[in-house]
Amino acid sequence: MVCDKSFSSSYMLLNHEEVGVVDLVHMLRSNDIENRKFVDCPKGTTEDEFRRRWLISMSVLAQKILKSIAKPLAATGSAIEYWLNLVACNRNLGGLISNFVRGELIHPDKTSATFLSFTGNLDRRVELDKSIVECGDKDRYNSFLSIMAAKASYENRAYLQYTVTDLWKMEFMGSFDFWNDYQQKATTQAFMFRDKKDDSDMIIVAFRGTETFDADAWSSDVDLSWYELPGIGKVHGGFMKALGLQKSKGWPTEPASRSNDQEPLAYYAIRDMLKEALKANKKTKCIITGHSLGGALAILFPAVLMLHKEEEILNMIEGVYTFGQPRVGDEEFGKFMSKKMKEHGVKYCRTVYSNDLVPRLPYDDSTMMFKHFGICLYFDSFYNGKIVEEEPNKNYFSLLSVIPKLINASWEIIRSFVIPYTKGADYSEGGLLKMYRIIGLMIAGIPAHGPQDYVNAIRLASSELYKDLQMMNIKETHIMVEEGTLK
């Protein structure tokens, strides 16, 4: 089945299933990319820059490798998660050995509310910080609730329902698996809940990020396919596919008919649920959030709403809060989104922690077109926050930054031992997270990408930082009005 590309003015689609070694060699030697079987692009398309052709080849090769190791990678992840939960069920390693000897071994149930993913085992905190809940600072509270939801999104349905209903005392609206037309399986997850108080009704939509052992999600991340939407700009194709781009139709206003064994598409299902919520209460507001890949989906969701001119739902969205989010589009896309989000009063808070690798990808340089937009809330490894236009070392890989990153990674390992004494017992880190931080001595951006440091950063952030963020948003709006780009 061939994708309908009529909704885009230009495109470049990569198909790893069609690639062979000879094709990759020809890709590197010739600028005539339209004749490569694994590249779908408009007739006459050429690519003169070798580095761009090399990145395209590496993207396709990475997807092919990921597909080949998907099953063993998932099996390895399941085994690791089972072992971590087995130890937890029996209190600790000593308890596990004791129970095994006595024939009283407790086995974990993968569908239970106590079973945690690998990401969840890195940071087991689940309770909301009462000081933030009761502080009265709406922006800070929304940001904190968003990172806790983004972190929880990695867990199973029973965990989410228990957490939202019993611990957070909010209304659980469901946990969902969404279909990816290009991977022909459900690869996108999200959950929804309602934070309803006497004076407000807020729905939170949290997209799950890339799980450590999920090859399908990693394939979406490394897929450098893109579509150019007229008047909007170029958008990352892998993320659009995960959000619900239809292989046969593109982005129609309504989804095409689907077979009974296919799960719904993320964008359409969530959009329709928000429409129903608005019908019940016109004052209902909404927050969209996500970590990593989830952050990319969170910011693309309003972009497709804008494509479809869904004014009511756009006005319903109070904010988009992302953490460790990769770049999703080009400069034109960023300008379009900045303007439209201001028009609809949608706050956009993109948070980046220290040397996190993912927000620096895909590249923002002369070779790649991807760029961030909006204000960045950046935290260093001491959890000091500041508002910047772009995080430091925006493309990550630089020989000049190797030594500083190694020093910083060493400090993060030391910090994991001292933080309970400097910040409190609730910041204590377990053995698994301490071992995970050692990876930072090889690639500093990997452990820095975990949700645990984002939770710490938001909890330790000052109210003044969020007041400055609010003033910055107001200032940007005034500038756009003066320039005539915003009415």
Side-chain angles (χ1 to χ4, degrees):
M1 183 166 51
V2 179
C3 175
D4 177 5
K5 301 173 283 287
S6 60
F7 70 96
S8 61
S9 55
S10 186
Y11 54 87
M12 185 185 71
L13 310 180
L14 307 180
N15 185 356
H16 64 275
E17 295 179 355
E18 299 290 336
V19 72
V21 175
V22 175
D23 293 307
L24 289 176
V25 172
H26 282 313
M27 180 71 170
L28 296 175
R29 294 178 59 186
S30 172
N31 66 355
D32 189 13
I33 66 173
E34 71 163 305
N35 290 324
R36 305 282 75 81
K37 290 191 297 184
F38 62 91
V39 180
D40 183 6
C41 56
K43 188 175 181 179
T45 300
T46 59
E47 181 51 69
D48 296 324
E49 189 170 347
F50 173 80
R51 187 166 181 237
R52 192 188 297 271
R53 297 201 306 272
W54 181 81
L55 287 171
I56 292 171
S57 300
M58 292 303 100
S59 172
V60 175
L61 183 60
Q63 291 178 67
K64 197 168 188 69
I65 293 172
L66 284 166
K67 184 178 181 179
S68 68
I69 65 170
K71 289 184 178 179
L73 184 64
T76 300
S78 293
I80 292 173
E81 288 180 352
Y82 184 84
W83 170 255
L84 292 172
N85 283 277
L86 181 65
V87 173
C89 281
N90 292 275
R91 298 188 307 280
N92 50 45
L93 188 58
L96 173 65
I97 296 172
S98 175
N99 287 350
F100 177 77
V101 171
R102 291 183 300 173
E104 299 176 357
L105 192 65
I106 302 172
H107 292 276
D109 177 2
K110 290 187 175 182
T111 63
S112 72
T114 57
F115 191 93
L116 289 173
S117 67
F118 179 79
T119 301
N121 274 286
L122 289 174
D123 181 6
R124 290 175 166 267
R125 290 174 296 180
V126 65
E127 294 278 6
L128 299 180
D129 188 325
K130 290 184 179 179
S131 66
I132 296 178
V133 173
E134 298 170 356
C135 71
D137 186 335
K138 190 175 183 181
D139 288 330
R140 189 182 178 202
Y141 171 74
N142 286 349
S143 187
F144 176 63
L145 184 59
S146 293
I147 183 54
M148 293 302 289
K151 185 172 85 75
S153 67
Y154 288 91
E155 310 308 326
N156 64 45
R157 180 185 178 85
Y159 175 96
L160 293 171
Q161 186 164 9
Y162 171 76
T163 297
V164 170
T165 305
D166 294 358
L167 298 182
W168 297 354
K169 306 300 180 184
M170 299 177 192
E171 178 188 342
F172 181 68
M173 298 177 66
S175 173
F176 312 98
D177 293 318
F178 296 115
W179 190 258
N180 186 319
D181 244 8
Y182 290 77
Q183 297 180 0
Q184 285 296 293
K185 62 176 78 172
T187 64
T188 303
Q189 281 76 40
F191 81 104
M192 297 172 62
F193 63 100
R194 177 180 262 114
D195 181 11
K196 195 168 185 177
K197 298 183 176 68
D198 294 336
D199 58 345
S200 67
D201 183 8
M202 180 75 73
I203 292 174
I204 295 87
V205 179
F207 287 97
R208 192 194 73 177
T210 304
E211 286 193 333
T212 310
F213 304 98
D214 186 347
D216 293 322
W218 283 111
S219 290
S220 294
D221 292 340
V222 303
D223 183 358
L224 293 183
S225 300
W226 54 264
Y227 297 87
E228 184 169 7
L229 307 182
I232 295 178
K234 294 178 181 177
V235 187
H236 190 291
F239 300 148
M240 291 181 73
K241 294 169 186 177
L243 187 61
L245 182 69
Q246 295 178 79
K247 198 170 185 179
S248 59
K249 298 292 183 182
W251 281 121
T253 304
E254 297 297 332
S257 59
R258 312 181 57 71
S259 60
N260 294 331
D261 62 337
Q262 291 179 334
E263 285 82 356
L265 300 165
Y267 164 76
Y268 296 98
I270 294 172
R271 180 199 65 180
D272 292 347
M273 284 186 277
L274 292 179
K275 280 184 177 180
E276 289 300 316
L278 266 181
K279 287 180 183 178
N281 182 1
K282 291 294 184 183
K283 294 183 179 180
T284 300
K285 290 294 183 180
C286 176
I287 285 175
I288 315 294
T289 188
H291 167 260
S292 188
L293 168 63
L297 301 181
I299 192 59
L300 279 181
F301 180 76
V304 183
L305 289 175
M306 293 169 191
L307 178 67
H308 291 160
K309 303 187 187 312
E310 295 281 2
E311 303 293 324
E312 281 195 344
I313 302 179
L314 285 167
N315 291 332
M316 174 190 188
I317 299 175
E318 184 166 294
V320 177
Y321 295 83
T322 70
F323 307 89
Q325 171 213 313
R327 297 182 177 102
V328 299
D330 67 356
E331 185 173 7
E332 183 183 355
F333 173 79
K335 290 179 179 179
F336 171 84
M337 289 296 292
S338 294
K339 177 184 176 182
K340 290 296 183 181
M341 292 179 81
K342 294 295 182 185
E343 285 180 0
H344 293 281
V346 179
K347 296 175 183 176
Y348 176 37
C349 184
R350 182 177 65 85
T351 304
V352 175
Y353 166 74
S354 190
N355 287 319
D356 186 349
L357 169 64
V358 175
R360 277 91 175 177
L361 298 173
Y363 262 25
D364 172 7
D365 61 6
S366 59
T367 302
M368 303 300 289
M369 64 187 179
F370 297 97
K371 294 184 178 295
H372 280 306
F373 67 93
I375 297 168
C376 172
L377 190 57
Y378 174 77
F379 291 90
D380 63 22
S381 60
F382 291 90
Y383 301 123
N384 296 317
K386 60 181 178 180
I387 300 167
V388 296
E389 290 186 5
E390 183 77 70
E391 60 272 10
N393 189 24
K394 70 176 183 177
N395 285 327
Y396 190 79
F397 296 106
S398 167
L399 292 177
L400 295 176
S401 66
V402 170
I403 293 177
K405 280 188 286 194
L406 285 175
I407 294 173
N408 195 74
S410 300
W411 153 243
E412 287 176 331
I413 295 171
I414 296 170
R415 187 191 63 195
S416 67
F417 289 92
V418 302
I419 195 169
Y421 305 100
T422 59
K423 303 299 182 183
D426 201 36
Y427 293 86
S428 179
E429 298 184 3
L432 179 65
L433 181 51
K434 287 185 173 72
M435 289 189 291
Y436 187 60
R437 290 201 184 279
I438 294 174
I439 298 174
L441 297 176
M442 296 174 282
I443 306 178
I446 292 180
H449 183 56
Q452 68 280 342
D453 286 311
Y454 284 95
V455 174
N456 289 351
I458 302 302
R459 288 185 65 170
L460 295 170
S462 68
S463 295
E464 291 301 316
L465 181 63
Y466 284 96
K467 289 178 182 177
D468 291 342
L469 184 64
Q470 186 177 20
M471 292 303 298
M472 187 72 73
N473 280 318
I474 293 173
K475 182 179 179 180
E476 274 196 348
T477 302
H478 285 165
I479 291 173
M480 292 177 74
V481 171
E482 290 173 2
E483 292 177 344
T485 57
L486 181 65
K487 294 179 180 181

